[in-house]
């Protein structure tokens, strides 16, 4: 599935060592060209400094959200990892990211969901799949699934019944409000499983407000009411979301 929204303002391609990696707003690129961090090749831009220096310059220019001290891989369009960069910088540079989600049912068919902590930088207080997290520069997809399932839900993968890769979703959309220079390009791989009777998720990292187990009617009504993140809504009830292209 693909969910697409155009950028708020024109963006031009961004490359690293000849490989396309993202995109950047023209005014932002020109600003960093003056500081020797980006260079133009006429049709687009190329990174002319270490990724770390570029991330810190974006931070100093107040073009980033919360600094995470977490590195994400820099991926070329081919999928090759060509470096790593602070997580807060990826949207401003239109860099592709990877994430993993877990949906889980109870034995009675109801769905386990989480409410995101109210101090989360993104989508605080909204409802989400049982687990969702980024694939870091140090992770494989399997490692991210295992780590995030424990940190967010306190569950080991061998506790889950019928764990399977259920699909993937690509999201391309502006990252924030009218003044945000970022653009999200993300691939989400999601997995599904059943939690056995008596097994209850328990957050370990402080990023979840609470868990609930809801029936299909409540789930869909809450999605329509805007109580879920876009990512969770697209995974749990894509038929309710406009602008979706499938497969």
């Amino acid at each position: 599935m693909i969910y697409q929204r155009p950028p708020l303002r024109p963006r031009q391609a961004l490359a690293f060592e000849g490989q396309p990696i993202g995109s950047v707003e023209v005014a932002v690129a020109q600003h960093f060209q003056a500081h020797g961090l980006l260079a133009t090749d006429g049709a687009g831009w190329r990174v002319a400094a270490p990724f770390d220096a570029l991330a810190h310059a974006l931070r100093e220019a107040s073009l980033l959200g919360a600094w995470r001290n977490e590195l994400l891989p820099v991926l070329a369009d081919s999928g090759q990892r060509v470096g790593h960069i602070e997580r807060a910088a990826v949207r401003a540079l239109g860099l592709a990211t990877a994430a993993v989600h877990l949906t889980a049912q109870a034995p009675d068919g109801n769905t386990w969901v989480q409410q995101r902590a109210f101090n989360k930088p993104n989508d605080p207080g909204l409802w989400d799949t049982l687990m969702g997290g980024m694939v870091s520069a140090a992770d494989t997809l399997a490692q991210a699934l295992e780590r995030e399932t424990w940190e967010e839900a306190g569950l080991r993968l061998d506790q889950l019944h019928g764990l399977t890769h259920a699909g993937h979703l690509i999201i391309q959309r502006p990252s924030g409000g009218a003044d945000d220079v970022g653009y999200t390009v993300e691939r989400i791989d999601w997995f599904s499983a059943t939690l056995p009777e008596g097994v209850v998720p328990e957050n370990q990292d402080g990023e979840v407000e609470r868990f609930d187990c809801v029936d299909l009617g409540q789930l869909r009504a809450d999605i329509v009411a805007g109580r879920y993140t876009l990512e969770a809504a697209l995974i749990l009830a894509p038929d309710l979301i406009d602008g979706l292209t499938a497969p």
Side-chain angles (χ1 to χ4, degrees), residues 144-213:
L145 174 65
E146 182 176 22
R147 187 195 68 250
E148 294 287 343
T149 299
W150 171 253
E151 290 179 356
E152 292 207 350
L155 299 169
R156 301 299 186 188
L157 297 186
D158 59 10
Q159 292 179 268
L160 309 177
H161 290 176
L163 178 64
T164 185
H165 184 269
H168 74 268
L169 164 69
I170 295 173
I171 294 179
Q172 300 175 351
R173 61 162 175 154
S175 297
D179 295 329
D180 196 299
V181 301
Y183 192 68
T184 295
V185 180
E186 183 160 270
R187 175 184 169 116
I188 297 172
D189 283 86
W190 80 87
F191 294 76
S192 64
T194 298
L195 266 59
E197 191 72 42
V199 174
V200 177
E202 182 177 352
N203 181 241
Q204 306 294 309
D205 62 6
E207 295 190 359
V208 175
E209 184 70 19
R210 65 189 179 102
F211 295 95
D212 201 358
C213 194

Side-chain angles (χ1 to χ4, degrees), residues 57-104:
L58 285 162
R59 185 185 191 184
E60 291 171 4
S62 299
L63 295 175
L64 304 182
W67 190 270
R68 308 292 190 91
N69 289 316
E70 179 182 352
L71 296 177
L72 297 185
V74 178
L75 303 172
D77 285 1
S78 64
Q80 178 186 353
R81 293 190 179 198
V82 297
H84 54 259
I85 196 168
E86 156 65 29
R87 175 174 173 171
V90 296
R91 304 308 183 207
L93 302 174
L95 302 178
T97 56
V100 60
H101 278 244
L102 175 66
T103 65

Side-chain angles (χ1 to χ4, degrees), residues 27-40 45-50 53-54 56-58 60-61 63:
V28 172
Q30 290 173 340
H31 172 80
F32 290 110
Q33 180 187 27
H35 292 77
L37 298 171
L38 296 180
T40 183
W45 301 87
R46 59 180 174 83
V47 176
L54 184 54
H56 278 90
L58 285 162
E60 291 171 4
L63 295 175

